[in-house]
Amino acid sequence: MNPTISIPHGLPLERDAGPFDPPRRITQLREARPVSPMVFPDGHEGWLVTGYDVVRQLMADIRFSSRQDIGILHIPYETPNMLAATEPSPQTPGLFIAMDPPDHTRLRRKLAGAFTVKRMKTLEAQIIDITERQLDELTRLTPPVDLVKEFALPVPSLVICEMLGVPYADRENFQINSAKFLVKDQQLDEKIAAYGAMTTYLAELVTRKRAEPGQDILSDLARHDDLTIEELTGMAFLLLFAGHETTANMLALGTFALLEHPEQLAELRADPDLLPDAVEELMRYLSVVDILFRYATADIELGGETIREGSTVIVSMLAANRDPQRFDNPDTLDIHREARGRLSFGHGIHQCLGQQLARIEMRAGFAGLLRRFPTLELAIPAGEVKLRTDMNIYGVHELPVTWTEPAR
């Protein structure tokens, strides 16, 4: 049996093998022991889970809690209540991603009708229109341009603002502060200030919507008298934050990956019907949300190991999505792959509520970009692209691109 992993300088999660590859240490651990005991930098013991089958089993088991108030390790991007790094974080009203049933069930159920497949399909034309208008803006610019600033970030921001009823003119507030909130290594007071700026703004917004509701998701939520303003604010924060950060990084990093795989890029341009499977494969391959945290509420057997009650468990979604026991040649991007079963949207009761929305945005974004910019290419060497290794959602800080033919 392998010894317990000691991690004196932080978790082995840095993508040190290349911009699209999992950390070497994570790959080694998955091959040797998919459920690995580990010692955190502060000295307390926990577990790292990397194999596909055991990750899927764990995510489906509600005995592995998402509640930060019963955990030991502070999770900076999953909870805004930030105490000392080794203290449990009190539950934040409305932030159902960090709750268990029945609290999680009660709040998530309020949104069940807002993100159904049927409703998303009715919004598809609107999302495509938003995407095409942003592409129109892009065609008016003189290259090189930063694709993050001019396309990847505006599209999901415009979409989620319109759905939630958040004035897009206020986007700078939440885009800047959500980026600050995601920085891994920064002063606690800076992170709290960023979160405070967002929630203060959202508290005022949902209060207005409760008084004068409109035709949007936050207004629909505000009509529920059993939801407090604090709960509405937490739900608004989660929806706004998750609704633009993950998709923006997928659009930018996915474009980067496709530009680095020109043969597959050419296939997608020639046959747009390949795009739905390509989007699924890009999500598996890139895994922009690469780690999650859970806390054992009982002694649980997992992968031949006994995880004791109270243990902190780190789940590597990236390692699971690259497990050769589940996917053939997992470190290869293959747009023809049927990547169903990939865990990019999670699994179990916390599976991403907005996954159909994200799929539509990515399909519209990649399709429009490839169609209208047939000579799109990086404006700098690939090795100079600034990666978000300092952030809790992976991607690129900037993606300078250019084109040689007039955009369509």
Side-chain angles (χ1 to χ4, degrees):
M1 182 175 288
N2 295 339
T4 298
I5 307 156
S6 178
I7 306 177
H9 303 297
L11 306 176
L13 303 173
E14 189 78 16
R15 302 199 189 201
D16 53 358
F20 311 118
D21 297 317
R24 294 183 180 91
R25 183 64 172 138
I26 287 287
T27 299
Q28 293 168 355
L29 291 174
R30 184 190 61 217
E31 293 173 354
R33 196 173 181 184
V35 182
S36 302
M38 60 183 292
V39 177
F40 289 89
D42 65 356
H44 85 272
E45 297 181 358
W47 295 83
L48 176 62
V49 182
T50 52
Y52 177 89
D53 289 337
V54 284
V55 166
R56 189 176 174 90
Q57 180 182 341
L58 182 153
M59 298 295 287
D61 191 335
I62 61 173
R63 293 177 299 170
F64 287 104
S65 174
S66 297
R67 287 175 51 186
Q68 306 300 309
D69 59 321
I70 65 172
I72 296 175
L73 183 68
H74 159 58
I75 316 304
Y77 71 96
E78 287 193 353
T79 178
N81 280 326
M82 280 155 280
L83 304 177
T86 56
E87 291 293 324
S89 297
Q91 282 194 291
T92 302
L95 204 71
F96 56 86
I97 193 175
M99 295 179 180
D100 298 335
D103 297 324
H104 169 269
T105 309
R106 178 179 72 89
L107 294 177
R108 181 164 170 140
R109 189 173 289 156
K110 303 288 188 185
L111 288 162
F115 292 95
T116 62
V117 174
K118 182 178 180 180
R119 182 164 183 179
M120 289 303 103
K121 285 183 177 179
T122 64
L123 290 172
E124 188 164 3
Q126 185 179 355
I127 293 168
I128 291 172
D129 182 61
I130 289 172
T131 304
E132 291 298 322
R133 282 191 274 120
Q134 195 60 38
L135 287 167
D136 290 341
E137 294 293 325
L138 192 60
T139 63
R140 298 186 184 105
L141 301 177
T142 301
V145 301
D146 175 15
L147 198 70
V148 174
K149 178 183 177 182
E150 305 297 345
F151 181 69
L153 186 56
V155 166
S157 296
L158 281 160
V159 170
I160 200 63
C161 281
E162 190 156 327
M163 289 184 66
L164 296 182
V166 176
Y168 187 62
D170 297 339
R171 68 192 180 281
E172 187 173 354
N173 174 293
F174 69 78
Q175 287 176 353
I176 290 175
N177 284 299
S178 65
K180 290 179 180 178
F181 185 66
L182 282 170
V183 175
K184 290 179 181 176
D185 299 318
Q186 68 168 316
Q187 294 297 314
L188 185 60
D189 57 352
E190 294 178 5
K191 194 178 286 287
I192 292 175
Y195 174 73
M198 285 188 285
T199 54
T200 298
Y201 166 77
L202 290 169
E204 294 172 353
L205 181 65
V206 296
T207 299
R208 292 199 304 270
K209 289 184 179 296
R210 173 152 281 177
E212 298 180 8
Q215 300 299 315
D216 55 73
I217 290 176
L218 293 187
S219 291
D220 291 345
L221 288 173
R223 290 186 177 95
H224 291 275
D225 292 334
D226 60 327
L227 291 176
T228 66
I229 292 296
E230 291 75 19
E231 287 178 320
L232 288 169
T233 300
M235 295 174 80
F237 167 79
L238 181 58
L239 293 170
L240 184 62
F241 181 75
H244 79 277
E245 278 288 352
T246 50
T247 305
N249 283 288
M250 271 301 307
L251 284 171
L253 189 65
T255 300
F256 183 21
L258 289 173
L259 290 173
E260 289 297 285
H261 294 80
E263 292 182 0
Q264 296 190 60
L265 180 62
E267 282 191 82
L268 278 178
R269 279 205 176 97
D271 185 1
D273 288 342
L274 295 173
L275 197 56
D277 281 343
V279 165
E280 301 297 318
E281 170 66 352
L282 283 166
M283 287 190 293
R284 180 203 69 83
Y285 182 68
L286 299 174
S287 298
V288 296
V289 180
D290 53 358
I291 58 168
L292 298 173
F293 289 74
R294 293 292 185 267
Y295 307 96
T297 60
D299 290 354
I300 306 169
E301 295 295 321
L302 184 70
E305 308 283 355
T306 300
I307 297 180
R308 298 297 180 190
E309 180 179 355
S311 296
T312 300
V313 184
I314 296 178
V315 184
S316 175
M317 308 302 280
L318 174 61
N321 278 332
R322 295 292 191 93
D323 190 342
Q325 298 296 318
R326 175 60 179 82
F327 300 102
D328 294 334
N329 301 315
D331 293 330
T332 299
L333 177 68
D334 180 4
I335 62 171
H336 298 282
R337 186 195 306 270
E338 290 190 1
R340 289 168 181 78
R342 50 79 223 94
L343 298 171
S344 305
F345 286 123
H347 182 62
I349 65 170
H350 288 288
Q351 191 170 25
C352 178
L353 189 64
Q355 60 181 288
Q356 300 303 333
L357 174 64
R359 285 188 173 98
I360 293 170
E361 290 177 302
M362 283 186 276
R363 291 171 188 170
F366 290 127
L369 194 64
L370 299 186
R371 183 184 75 253
R372 298 185 62 174
F373 292 84
T375 58
L376 189 74
E377 60 184 12
L378 290 177
I380 60 175
E384 295 179 13
V385 173
K386 297 178 181 178
L387 303 171
R388 287 169 54 109
T389 53
D390 58 332
M391 310 293 276
N392 282 308
I393 295 179
Y394 189 61
V396 294
H397 283 292
E398 300 172 357
L399 190 69
V401 296
T402 188
W403 50 91
T404 55
E405 294 181 10
R408 298 173 180 173

